[in-house]
Amino acid sequence: MKLRRTTPVVLAAALALTAACGGGGGSAQPSGDGKSFEFWSFSGINQKKSVEDYQKANPGVQVKLTEVGGSTETAQALTTALAGGKVPDLVLIQGDDLPKFVQQPQNFQDLRQYGADKIKSDYLDWVISQSTARSGEIIGIPTDVGGMAVAYRTDLFKQAGLPTDRDEVSKLWPTWDAFIETGKKYTAATGKAFVDNAATSVFYQAVNQGPQKYYDPSGNVVYATSPQVKTAFDLAIKTAQSGITARLSSFEDGWSAAMSKGDYAVISAPSWLLEQIRNNAPDTKGKWDVAKIPGGAGNWGGSYLAIPKGAANPKAAWDYISKTQSPQGQLDHFVDSGALPTTPSAYQDPKLLGRKDPFFSDAPTGKIYTESLLGLKPFLIGPDSAAIGQEFLNAITNVEQGKGDPAKAWDTALANIKTSIGK
Amino acid sequence: MTTTVSPPQARPESETQVRQNWSERLAPYAYIAPFFLIFAIFGLVPLLFTFYVALFDWNPIGEHVFVGFDNFTRLLGDTRFWNAAWNTISIWLLSTVPQLLVALLLAHLLNHARLRLALFWRMSMLVPYITSVAATTIVFAQMFDRDYGLLNWLLGLVGVGPIDFLQSGWGSHTMIAVMVAWRWFGYTTLLYLASLQAVPRTIYEAAAVDGAGAWKQFRHISIPSLRPVIVFTIVTSTIGGLQIFTEPLLVTTTSPLTCGPVRQCQTLTLFLYEQGFGQFQFGYGSAIGVALFVLIIAIASLNYVLSTRIRPERG
């Protein structure tokens, strides 16, 4: 009697447990309705607008957009979701976070099955190649690229006796050394800091200008021997020591506050940063302008849309990707929000070339940023690129804050990277 | 007065009787079962799973390679681990010691018989405790800010140059310790106060009649009667203090996982989070978790032994 009564309970419990554990494996067949899908994005990139436009054009479709947090938090949430088995249908991944996922392509839908290999040529080669896995799977479609430039305050430049016209300003700093010299002039004239910090405004820009960053083309880590990295690091240390920085780490509260107060006059601004300046310092509208980056070309940042393997509505998600990330779709998004397209065919479009940004003294941002991409020599981003970059940034910041010994900073950074990534 | 108590009637041992005895014996276990079941699912299983994962090179979205105790040997040689351990202990001491002392003193004052609006004072102690940690941290981080902080503005008025709290080791530790202490002192005070209220007021009155001043009453009546609850708060604040996470995570936004460029305020839990969820090394992260578990058990037992040894003489 007793046994008979308890057996079903035990069985049910065991079944529930196995079912719960089996969830990680993911069911093979997606059972989506094709009419709705769940989309994880990060904040600050204005995917809301893109989703609204898409829903207007496709009235029957429901997009459940979640802004998880910053790009790092979104990548972390995605990792946890992939490990746990409950995934969104569509996810936005930032360029630096992408290699970790590309190395494990089995977690994602191979977008070639929806025809991604046919539209591959619409995108910048080096950008789409970053989301292509070793055995050829395409796991992400690029939504935007960084493109680099320098945003500066015309009013403060005027006070310091520097030119304010964007072409003349660009001529002030053909090289990073000239940039530092200009900074010294500014600081001498005004007694105020010239640039926000050395790590992101100098190192992160300069290190992105050249053919070989932390990895060589075959995927070996070469951060310790790459001349591009050492040059950028030395430039940043020189900047940190020259007394022209506000010693404010990017994206901190103090950094945003100083931006509105004009405590620094210059900030290196990839195209996506312009939106942040607008949001952080709305009162400074019209006081900014955009000039060329020292060294001419380069890229920092950019994002990709990917569909996890276990997605319930992969087809609906792909429809969103193919419509919003087509050359026309990216161009429309650029006109709305200023995110630079990854589709070179848009670069000749008068809508892009003619766009003037009133917040930045009517600077032709489309023209400036695409020019910075045209001379670019692409480099490989590897799975530990983000961790390596963070350690370099830490070493530079430490010198800038007056705690670290500049002569030892390079060796410290290398040692820390070795501890961190184990190679 | 004498009464004869008749012995309880011996009932016949029927089958129902046996069953009733059984159910009476089992009932308490049934009542406590929910907690232990939930604890097993959400506490014990994850704990054991952590021990298991710590033996692997575990990529959450890729392969799991068995590496034995490699993660632990790597941990012992990792300067970042020792740095985090030191930061944790430093922040814990800086926050716990002043917090418990202040709470002790405040509880004694709040227990004073002639205090007006006593309930208001007592309840308001809880406000920091019910405020969200994130909100507290953001407000304090702004107060301690180098350029725009209230604290540096006040220091500037008396001619002390701006202090960059976040960038130095001691500065960031103090800053975090202040946040932790501020959040918890009210809770601890109320615990002490509740215990003090159980002490008969007549004892204080008798002491006062005998000529004992406030300090003597505090030393010889309040503290001894608080001994058990002091032990309790020391143990719980040790466990809580060694797990400080949110405050160091939120004081800096640029490098939140390291709490500053040279990991000057990275605690053990933050280091665990950095390795596990920042770099996706679940195995190594779990090894840090196991190490933290051992450390907490060790310090908590040491605390317990020490604080129970320090007994007042009982006459």
Side-chain angles (χ1 to χ4, degrees):
Chain A
M1 271 300 265
K2 231 182 202 172
L3 200 87
R4 211 179 276 171
R5 214 178 289 166
T6 47
T7 319
V9 182
V10 173
L11 267 179
L15 272 176
L17 273 176
T18 37
C21 297
S27 52
Q29 283 306 311
S31 53
D33 50 12
K35 284 283 169 203
S36 66
F37 66 93
E38 206 185 332
F39 177 17
W40 285 4
S41 167
F42 38 90
S43 44
I45 199 104
N46 208 7
Q47 281 296 313
K48 253 182 212 145
K49 177 82 178 110
S50 181
V51 167
E52 278 166 19
D53 290 348
Y54 177 76
Q55 283 191 317
K56 239 174 253 163
N58 302 274
V61 185
Q62 279 296 314
V63 184
K64 199 183 156 236
L65 175 72
T66 309
E67 288 197 342
V68 179
S71 55
T72 313
E73 283 97 63
T74 309
Q76 284 167 3
L78 174 65
T79 309
T80 319
L82 290 173
K86 180 81 185 72
V87 290
D89 300 302
L90 183 67
V91 64
L92 190 69
I93 304 172
Q94 211 253 332
D96 276 356
D97 298 313
L98 185 75
K100 278 198 180 87
F101 297 112
V102 175
Q103 282 215 324
Q104 309 288 344
Q106 74 279 7
N107 292 294
F108 294 91
Q109 306 249 347
D110 181 0
L111 300 178
R112 286 180 304 180
Q113 62 180 298
Y114 305 110
D117 43 346
K118 286 182 200 99
I119 56 165
K120 193 166 97 168
S121 54
D122 288 352
Y123 302 91
L124 288 167
D125 270 352
W126 55 274
V127 178
I128 191 105
S129 75
Q130 281 171 20
S131 65
T132 308
R134 284 245 163 101
S135 36
E137 301 101 324
I138 298 174
I139 69 157
I141 296 293
T143 60
D144 68 304
V145 275
M148 300 198 303
V150 173
Y152 66 98
R153 286 279 294 265
T154 49
D155 55 334
L156 300 176
F157 267 46
K158 197 172 184 182
Q159 284 170 26
L162 292 169
T164 54
D165 176 74
R166 69 182 70 94
D167 292 324
E168 282 175 56
V169 169
S170 300
K171 276 183 205 141
L172 285 178
W173 50 61
T175 63
W176 283 104
D177 281 312
F179 178 81
I180 298 172
E181 289 311 311
T182 312
K184 284 181 183 161
K185 269 182 219 154
Y186 175 89
T187 303
T190 59
K192 286 203 284 189
F194 175 62
V195 64
D196 55 341
N197 66 60
T200 44
S201 265
V202 177
F203 178 72
Y204 268 21
Q205 315 301 315
V207 80
N208 280 327
Q209 299 176 319
Q212 181 174 293
K213 197 174 160 186
Y214 306 137
Y215 287 80
D216 70 10
S218 40
N220 306 307
V221 275
V222 291
Y223 62 85
T225 52
S226 169
Q228 183 178 330
V229 178
K230 184 74 166 81
T231 310
F233 190 86
D234 290 344
L235 273 172
I237 294 291
K238 193 174 160 192
T239 314
Q241 287 184 288
S242 63
I244 61 167
T245 76
R247 300 188 293 136
L248 289 164
S249 297
S250 302
F251 318 117
E252 299 269 3
D253 292 338
W255 176 80
S256 311
M259 191 185 285
S260 346
K261 286 181 65 185
D263 286 354
Y264 48 83
V266 159
I267 180 169
S268 288
S271 48
W272 46 265
L273 196 84
L274 297 186
E275 182 79 16
Q276 300 218 2
I277 298 177
R278 267 184 225 117
N279 292 337
N280 279 332
D283 296 342
T284 59
K285 182 175 180 178
K287 292 179 180 167
W288 294 89
D289 205 328
V290 182
K292 282 183 186 158
I293 190 97
N299 176 58
W300 180 24
S303 310
Y304 295 81
L305 281 169
I307 306 176
K309 188 72 136 199
N313 288 299
K315 288 219 172 86
W318 172 256
D319 187 66
Y320 177 82
I321 294 182
S322 62
K323 287 196 179 131
T324 56
Q325 305 312 325
S326 67
Q328 188 57 45
Q330 292 209 356
L331 185 63
D332 292 344
H333 191 57
F334 169 80
V335 174
D336 288 339
S337 73
L340 196 62
T342 55
T343 48
S345 63
Y347 296 168
Q348 301 304 322
D349 197 290
K351 264 198 242 162
L352 181 132
L353 293 175
R355 184 179 192 264
K356 292 194 167 148
D357 196 325
F359 195 96
F360 294 90
S361 311
D362 285 329
T365 47
K367 192 163 167 277
I368 294 172
Y369 283 106
T370 46
E371 271 172 18
S372 86
L373 286 178
L374 295 176
L376 175 132
K377 300 170 214 84
F379 49 80
L380 184 85
I381 299 179
D384 291 315
S385 282
I388 296 170
Q390 183 66 46
E391 291 297 348
F392 278 126
L393 180 137
N394 286 347
I396 294 162
T397 306
N398 200 32
V399 170
E400 189 172 31
Q401 302 291 351
K403 312 276 180 211
D405 179 353
K408 288 183 191 151
W410 174 254
D411 292 329
T412 312
L414 293 193
N416 287 344
I417 293 166
K418 200 158 190 327
T419 322
S420 173
I421 68 170
K423 52 197 161 195
Chain B
M1 197 166 96
T2 49
T3 39
T4 23
V5 181
S6 54
Q9 268 188 344
R11 289 190 203 157
E13 284 270 324
S14 69
E15 202 186 327
T16 346
Q17 183 64 39
V18 174
R19 224 178 256 175
Q20 238 171 23
N21 275 347
W22 266 106
S23 63
E24 265 169 38
R25 272 188 216 167
L26 287 178
Y29 294 99
Y31 289 131
I32 61 166
F35 167 76
F36 284 95
L37 273 177
I38 291 169
F39 169 74
I41 296 168
F42 295 103
L44 198 61
V45 170
L47 189 69
L48 295 176
F49 191 61
T50 306
F51 291 153
Y52 175 71
V53 173
L55 303 175
F56 288 81
D57 186 357
W58 188 290
N59 183 334
I61 56 169
E63 283 152 6
H64 310 155
V65 183
F66 183 78
V67 292
F69 288 95
D70 280 9
N71 283 330
F72 293 98
T73 44
R74 187 179 150 205
L75 197 61
L76 293 179
D78 192 337
T79 49
R80 298 172 300 173
F81 171 71
W82 296 110
N83 170 59
W86 161 245
N87 288 343
T88 309
I89 290 172
S90 163
I91 292 171
W92 163 60
L93 284 175
L94 281 173
S95 64
T96 308
V97 176
Q99 178 214 333
L100 296 190
L101 290 178
V102 166
L104 207 55
L105 209 64
L106 270 173
H108 180 71
L109 294 176
L110 286 172
N111 193 37
H112 203 280
R114 276 171 298 173
L115 191 70
R116 278 167 196 274
L117 295 171
L119 192 67
F120 168 77
W121 298 118
R122 289 168 190 171
M123 291 320 288
S124 55
M125 307 287 292
L126 266 184
V127 172
Y129 179 63
I130 56 173
T131 310
S132 132
V133 198
T136 310
T137 307
I138 289 164
V139 170
F140 271 86
Q142 287 184 351
M143 280 169 56
F144 277 87
D145 189 89
R146 185 190 69 200
D147 300 323
Y148 309 102
L150 182 69
L151 202 62
N152 270 323
W153 176 74
L154 287 172
L155 287 174
L157 291 184
V158 294
V160 181
I163 299 171
D164 196 350
F165 287 96
L166 192 58
Q167 295 302 332
S168 66
W170 70 268
S172 57
H173 292 188
T174 312
M175 178 175 155
I176 292 168
V178 167
M179 297 177 201
V180 176
W182 188 77
R183 192 156 67 89
W184 285 96
F185 84 94
Y187 175 80
T188 316
T189 306
L190 285 193
L191 276 182
Y192 291 166
L193 183 62
S195 199
L196 280 181
Q197 304 250 293
V199 179
R201 205 150 282 285
T202 46
I203 298 183
Y204 284 101
E205 280 159 14
V209 170
D210 287 346
W215 173 246
K216 276 204 164 163
Q217 291 181 22
F218 178 64
R219 252 199 76 179
H220 294 287
I221 304 172
S222 296
I223 292 195
S225 50
L226 280 176
R227 207 187 55 84
V229 71
I230 289 176
V231 173
F232 172 78
T233 52
I234 287 177
V235 172
T236 49
S237 66
T238 304
I239 295 168
L242 293 177
Q243 295 181 359
I244 293 169
F245 175 73
T246 318
E247 289 89 350
L249 179 73
L250 292 181
V251 288
T252 150
T253 42
T254 312
S255 43
L257 297 186
T258 52
C259 196
V262 285
R263 299 168 188 271
Q264 62 265 40
C265 49
Q266 189 183 43
T267 56
L268 277 172
T269 39
L270 199 57
F271 182 45
L272 185 162
Y273 184 72
E274 184 209 356
Q275 294 303 312
F277 295 93
Q279 311 214 359
F280 301 146
Q281 299 187 354
F282 274 25
Y284 197 52
S286 299
I288 301 167
V290 173
L292 181 62
F293 179 77
V294 171
L295 185 75
I296 289 176
I297 299 264
I299 295 187
S301 344
L302 188 74
N303 258 333
Y304 181 76
V305 169
L306 284 180
S307 45
T308 44
R309 283 258 168 102
I310 312 167
R311 269 169 204 282
E313 291 297 319
R314 282 176 194 263

